[in-house]
Amino acid sequence: MESLASVNTTEVTEFILVGLSNHPKAQIAFFCALVVIYSVTLVGNSVIIFVVRIDGQLHTPMYFFLSNLSFLDICYTTSSVPHLLSNGFRDFPTISYTSCYAQMTISLFLGMTECLLLAVMAYDRLVAISNPLRYTIIMNNRVCLQMAVSTWVSAFFLSVTPIIAIPAHYCGHNVINHFTCEIQAMLKLVCSDTPINLILGLVISVATLPLPFSFILISYIRIVVAVLRIRSTEARLKAFSTCSSHLTVVTIFFGTAIYMYVKPQSKESQDQDKIVSVFYGVVTPMLNPLIYTLRNKDVKGALRKITRKKES
């Protein structure tokens, strides 16, 4: 490994990905697990998009943003899993400098989009519960579309601008102890003086993790206050149930992402970071459709109606 990472004076033209494991049996287990997880992710999220589009009762802001989340999860896993599967049984697979940077930027962009989209979904639930009579007026189709587009555009500029503005130099360090071109793993290989890069990385981390997460926490505190003012116990339970799926997804995604990106980083790569990356980048997109379908009566009802129509 040390010989592969030897320093020289030439610029790096390609990177070597260590992958999840070098043990043959572990590689087979990881490969099979990833195939199953990726398949469930594609099918589950595609079903949610299809059901929301077909069933007129689901043409509401909540399910509009949910279909956006499902589409985002499909893109997120597709940005890394197929490449990971293709390299599953190769020893030290290589990836070109350009392809690696493209993969890193796309993954960063999609991850930031999910952070911001989850915050938008929390705001939608806040308006629905705290101001139900004016909900359809406040969250009309035009506003929902503007919020969704703003989420994607903001994440794009947040992820692309620092990478284009301040390129890093690697000077021969080209072994990435990761299964993909993940930004934290790549920063550990930078040999140039990069205080500005690190500052920008910190700003981006704060802008896309603690700030949206804080906004979500404040939104749910206000939701709890609004729900406690409801006199009917049944109405309270219904209000809480509409938020439970989203809150579960937020806890899983932000919990693992904050651990990965906000904790202090060392120059030495850690294998546990790869496991955490697999969880929030691969497992979470698979869990999202399961959480929303198993805990959502409207989605389950729509699925039953579609199934009955096909059977008849």
Side-chain angles (χ1 to χ4, degrees):
M1 183 69 68
E2 292 180 357
S3 61
L4 290 171
S6 60
V7 180
N8 55 47
T9 58
T10 61
E11 287 290 328
V12 171
T13 58
E14 65 179 12
F15 292 97
I16 299 171
L17 297 171
V18 173
L20 285 170
S21 175
N22 293 327
H23 301 288
K25 291 184 179 180
Q27 286 179 332
I28 295 173
F30 281 129
F31 182 87
C32 295
L34 287 171
V35 169
V36 173
I37 292 172
Y38 185 54
S39 300
V40 173
T41 300
L42 293 181
V43 173
N45 285 290
S46 298
V47 166
I48 287 183
I49 295 172
F50 175 75
V51 170
V52 170
R53 185 169 182 82
I54 293 298
D55 195 311
Q57 293 183 348
L58 300 182
H59 291 175
T60 63
M62 174 181 174
Y63 295 106
F64 168 75
F65 291 123
L66 176 57
S67 60
N68 265 264
L69 180 64
S70 294
F71 175 72
L72 177 60
D73 283 338
I74 291 173
C75 296
Y76 199 11
T77 53
T78 303
S79 68
S80 60
V81 175
H83 184 261
L84 175 58
L85 291 174
S86 66
N87 292 334
F89 298 103
R90 296 173 58 193
D91 292 330
F92 307 119
T94 60
I95 182 172
S96 68
Y97 183 96
T98 303
S99 298
C100 193
Y101 253 66
Q103 186 183 79
M104 179 184 69
T105 305
I106 292 171
S107 296
L108 188 62
F109 158 58
L110 295 173
M112 289 180 175
T113 305
E114 182 143 356
C115 292
L116 299 178
L117 184 59
L118 289 173
V120 168
M121 294 174 73
Y123 175 77
D124 170 69
R125 291 297 83 209
L126 173 62
V127 176
I129 292 174
S130 62
N131 206 343
L133 298 178
R134 300 185 64 241
Y135 174 61
T136 55
I137 298 174
I138 297 173
M139 299 297 291
N140 57 59
N141 292 337
R142 183 173 61 86
V143 171
C144 290
L145 183 61
Q146 288 176 344
M147 293 177 74
V149 171
S150 298
T151 296
W152 287 81
V153 172
S154 300
F156 176 78
F157 283 108
L158 278 171
S159 59
V160 171
T161 302
I163 293 175
I164 294 177
I166 309 176
H169 299 284
Y170 296 91
C171 308
H173 299 276
N174 69 333
V175 178
I176 303 175
N177 189 6
H178 213 277
F179 58 86
T180 186
C181 295
E182 198 270 337
I183 186 167
Q184 294 288 6
M186 291 188 67
L187 279 176
K188 293 170 185 175
L189 302 181
V190 174
C191 65
S192 56
D193 187 19
T194 57
I196 301 179
N197 295 63
L198 296 177
I199 291 171
L200 278 174
L202 179 62
V203 171
I204 292 171
S205 297
V206 171
T208 56
L209 286 174
L211 284 183
F213 186 63
S214 299
F215 178 82
I216 292 171
L217 285 179
I218 293 171
S219 297
Y220 271 100
I221 291 172
R222 294 182 61 184
I223 287 172
V224 170
V225 172
V227 170
L228 292 177
R229 291 176 181 171
I230 301 174
R231 295 182 179 180
S232 171
T233 304
E234 184 179 350
R236 286 183 184 178
L237 293 175
K238 184 178 180 181
F240 276 125
S241 67
T242 61
C243 302
S244 60
S245 298
H246 177 257
L247 191 57
T248 303
V249 171
V250 166
T251 303
I252 295 172
F253 181 82
F254 275 95
T256 53
I258 288 175
Y259 171 81
M260 181 69 183
Y261 289 102
V262 178
K263 70 180 178 68
Q265 296 292 321
S266 63
K267 275 287 182 182
E268 297 180 358
S269 298
Q270 299 179 0
D271 290 337
Q272 64 180 4
D273 288 349
K274 293 190 283 186
I275 303 301
V276 174
S277 296
V278 169
F279 194 83
Y280 79 78
V282 180
V283 177
T284 301
M286 178 197 68
L287 294 177
N288 288 353
L290 297 176
I291 292 170
Y292 277 105
T293 54
L294 294 176
R295 299 173 65 91
N296 191 297
K297 294 181 180 180
D298 294 334
V299 176
K300 288 191 289 186
L303 284 171
R304 281 194 293 266
K305 285 193 295 184
I306 293 173
T307 304
R308 287 170 186 170
K309 285 182 181 179
K310 289 184 177 181
E311 289 177 352
S312 61

